[in-house]
Amino acid sequence: MIECYKTATAGSIERIEAPESGCWVNAIAPTPEERAWLEEELGVLPEFVRSALDDEETSRIDYDEDVNQTFVIVDYPVAPGEEGAPDARQYDTMPLSMVFIPEKSLFVTLGLYDNPITRDMAAGRVRGVDTRFRTRFLLQILLRISQLYLVYLRRIDRLSSATEEKLHASVRNEELIQMLDLEKSLVYFSTSLKSDEVTLNKIMHGRIIPLYEDDQDLLEDVLVEIHQAIEMCNIYSNTLSGTMDAFASIISNNLNIVMKVLSVITIVMAIPNIVFGFYGMNVGLPFEGVPLLDNWAFPTLLAAVACLIAAWIFKRKGMWH
């Protein structure tokens, strides 16, 4: 799908039928025919198109002197259930690419899936957007991505706290698996955020993309948001990792307690079996032949065993000193 947008005189974003100078071309999961149109009609370099549609491509910035095109690729966060999310339980990141074509005054975005960043831009939910100012438009996209990271990180923190509360009540596999998924999500976020930070630092130098004074201020805002997201990601990751280790220790301790109780029950149940097993042997029994106790041998032995077991239990409970 390829759509073209341009900022109208009133400042709103309007969709146009064909690309023209100062417009924004948004390509989402382009077909082979659409890829050929991007390369032949707009002049986007084929290697830029291939890199943009590679889901394993890392964040970077590239410049081709021969055609005077700048290529920027960054990772944006994806929530479970959104288009492009590989797992229904985990947060992940996907690449979003942008190409500067100064010859035709065009700004092109390419992505594998529909995403909330370009949707918000096209719907006019971001203020101050002007497709004619390509550098500022790029920075506004980056700011939107960094803000989306912060939103999802806070959501992960709330999910982690809710899951931890459930674990306090009952340690089940479902909650532990959810905690593990959140921990993996934070690893994905941390890796992508650090790559995006490197790309932003390269943009900040101004050697590849020229920056004006307003652009410099906006870029600093983006960097602040990215640094905040990285710091939050590290804090949540450390907290979640510590929580997982704590619950692993609790589970191990609970298992030890259960095994201890089962061992005690086994030993206690074995004592009567040993004593009463003598009655199946051709051996003399305690109190046998004693006139007063001959008929009371079995109850006496039973009472003696019960007293021994009770004394042992009382001693284990600390009731006797």
Side-chain angles (χ1 to χ4, degrees), residues 281-295:
M281 302 179 185
N282 295 322
V283 295
L285 298 175
F287 311 112
E288 187 176 3
V290 179
L292 295 177
L293 300 177
D294 191 19
N295 295 329

Side-chain angles (χ1 to χ4, degrees), residues 179-224:
M179 294 283 275
L180 180 62
D181 289 334
L182 293 176
E183 192 172 17
K184 291 170 68 176
S185 300
L186 289 172
V187 172
Y188 298 148
F189 276 18
S190 178
T191 304
S192 296
L193 282 166
K194 289 175 182 176
S195 299
D196 288 351
E197 183 188 21
V198 173
T199 303
L200 285 169
N201 287 329
K202 290 181 179 179
I203 294 174
M204 194 170 188
H205 293 155
R207 290 195 296 267
I208 299 177
I209 299 176
L211 297 173
Y212 301 97
E213 186 176 351
D214 292 342
D215 298 334
Q216 191 77 31
D217 294 338
L218 183 56
L219 180 57
E220 289 176 0
D221 292 341
V222 177
L223 281 169
V224 168

Side-chain angles (χ1 to χ4, degrees), residues 77-224:
V78 180
E82 287 186 358
E83 189 175 356
D87 197 310
R89 301 189 307 263
Q90 294 177 15
Y91 288 81
D92 209 327
T93 58
M94 293 299 295
L96 177 64
S97 304
M98 290 143 282
V99 183
F100 285 59
I101 307 179
E103 245 181 55
K104 300 181 179 180
S105 297
L106 296 177
F107 183 86
V108 182
T109 56
L110 298 101
L112 285 167
Y113 303 99
D114 189 22
N115 57 84
I117 296 96
T118 54
R119 281 202 307 269
D120 290 345
M121 292 287 185
R125 287 192 282 268
V126 181
R127 293 182 297 175
V129 173
D130 196 326
T131 57
R132 296 170 298 177
F133 304 135
R134 295 184 298 275
T135 302
R136 187 171 185 82
F137 192 63
L138 165 68
L139 295 176
Q140 286 172 324
I141 290 177
L142 296 177
L143 181 62
R144 198 70 176 171
I145 289 174
S146 62
Q147 291 170 344
L148 195 60
Y149 270 114
L150 294 174
V151 170
Y152 288 167
L153 282 169
R154 293 188 183 98
R155 193 181 298 176
I156 288 174
D157 184 47
R158 288 195 297 270
L159 285 171
S160 175
S161 299
T163 306
E164 187 177 344
E165 289 294 328
K166 292 179 182 177
L167 280 171
H168 282 300
S170 171
V171 180
R172 298 186 306 171
N173 288 339
E174 292 179 15
E175 283 77 16
L176 291 172
I177 291 172
Q178 186 173 7
M179 294 283 275
L180 180 62
D181 289 334
L182 293 176
E183 192 172 17
K184 291 170 68 176
S185 300
L186 289 172
V187 172
Y188 298 148
F189 276 18
S190 178
T191 304
S192 296
L193 282 166
K194 289 175 182 176
S195 299
D196 288 351
E197 183 188 21
V198 173
T199 303
L200 285 169
N201 287 329
K202 290 181 179 179
I203 294 174
M204 194 170 188
H205 293 155
R207 290 195 296 267
I208 299 177
I209 299 176
L211 297 173
Y212 301 97
E213 186 176 351
D214 292 342
D215 298 334
Q216 191 77 31
D217 294 338
L218 183 56
L219 180 57
E220 289 176 0
D221 292 341
V222 177
L223 281 169
V224 168

Side-chain angles (χ1 to χ4, degrees), residues 59-102:
S59 178
R60 62 186 174 88
I61 182 170
D62 196 4
Y63 175 71
D64 191 287
E65 296 180 356
D66 296 334
V67 294
N68 190 27
Q69 287 185 15
T70 303
F71 176 76
V72 181
I73 181 169
V74 293
D75 292 329
Y76 68 91
V78 180
E82 287 186 358
E83 189 175 356
D87 197 310
R89 301 189 307 263
Q90 294 177 15
Y91 288 81
D92 209 327
T93 58
M94 293 299 295
L96 177 64
S97 304
M98 290 143 282
V99 183
F100 285 59
I101 307 179

Side-chain angles (χ1 to χ4, degrees), residues 235-276:
I235 292 172
Y236 294 160
S237 182
N238 292 335
T239 303
L240 195 58
S241 179
T243 303
M244 291 286 289
D245 291 341
F247 277 108
S249 300
I250 291 171
I251 292 170
S252 178
N253 187 51
N254 290 342
L255 180 61
N256 291 336
I257 293 172
V258 170
M259 293 302 296
K260 181 179 178 181
V261 171
L262 290 176
S263 299
V264 170
I265 293 173
T266 302
I267 293 171
V268 170
M269 294 298 293
I271 294 174
N273 290 331
I274 294 172
V275 174
F276 300 137

